[in-house]
Amino acid sequence: MPNKQNVETLEAIKEDLKDLAAMWIVDYRGLTVSQIQELRRNIRQSDAQMKVYKNTLMKIAAKDAGLPEMDTELAGPNAFVFAHNDPVASAKALKDFAKSNEALTIKAGVMDGELIGEEQVKAVASLPGREEIYAMFAGAVSGIARGLATTVNGVGQGLAQSVSQVAEQKPAA
């Protein structure tokens, strides 16, 4: 029979897995407490959370949530980064932190219900984030509107120039 603490932890994991955009699995062995605090702060700034759970409880919760099997990825001590909104931002935070802290290893991830490897997580981190996409979209819309305004203005100017030239030619003729 499972103990009360494990049952409560399992429920907490299931709650973290609800409405999940992505989950990243990292090995944090070798990081100091201050480095882990810095990592958590960076992850929170990307609107995600990093938590440490027992691997066996994570396997059970993942199975119950319909996520793929992660037996090999859940070997050793792991931390789990849960991104509910923008998975790219949290992957970037992990990738950037791992560049300056070799002790952090990105092991794998789950995105759109699929298990992805370390290289795919790094590829996700290289994508433009939500804010960057919004900025690109706004720039594109602005460019179209500017082009349309220039075109509409050009038609009026062309008509005015034509009328002016015709008016100049009439008195001369």
Side-chain angles (χ1 to χ4, degrees):
M1 177 162 186
N3 67 33
K4 182 179 177 185
Q5 182 180 3
N6 283 348
V7 170
E8 290 172 357
T9 303
L10 186 60
E11 289 304 313
I13 297 170
K14 288 179 181 180
E15 190 63 34
D16 286 334
L17 293 176
K18 281 185 184 175
D19 303 323
L20 190 67
M23 177 182 72
W24 314 122
I25 304 168
V26 297
D27 184 347
Y28 61 94
R29 281 183 287 192
L31 293 177
T32 64
V33 172
S34 62
Q35 289 172 324
I36 292 173
Q37 288 173 338
E38 179 186 351
L39 175 60
R40 285 181 188 265
R41 188 173 28 258
N42 294 349
I43 290 170
R44 269 194 307 274
Q45 288 173 352
S46 68
D47 200 24
Q49 302 174 336
M50 184 175 96
K51 297 184 179 181
V52 177
Y53 291 123
K54 291 181 181 179
N55 290 336
T56 54
L57 295 177
M58 180 54 79
K59 286 178 189 177
I60 294 168
K63 183 179 179 182
D64 290 350
L67 297 177
E69 213 171 272
M70 300 177 269
D71 289 337
T72 56
E73 292 76 18
L74 295 181
N78 295 304
F80 305 94
V81 177
F82 301 97
H84 292 280
N85 294 321
D86 186 6
V88 175
S90 58
K92 281 184 185 198
L94 286 173
K95 183 180 174 185
D96 292 344
F97 189 85
K99 282 181 188 176
S100 59
N101 297 283
E102 293 178 10
L104 181 74
T105 305
I106 301 170
K107 294 172 78 174
V110 175
M111 190 170 176
D112 295 327
E114 298 291 323
L115 184 64
I116 61 175
E118 174 187 0
E119 292 305 315
Q120 291 167 311
V121 174
K122 289 180 180 177
V124 168
S126 66
L127 294 173
R130 179 176 293 187
E131 296 302 320
E132 293 171 69
I133 291 173
Y134 287 158
M136 285 188 261
F137 180 72
V141 168
S142 171
I144 292 169
R146 188 175 24 257
L148 181 61
T150 303
T151 302
V152 168
N153 189 29
V155 169
Q157 277 182 336
L159 180 61
Q161 286 176 350
S162 297
V163 169
S164 174
Q165 287 174 356
V166 167
E168 288 174 9
Q169 288 176 357
K170 289 286 182 182

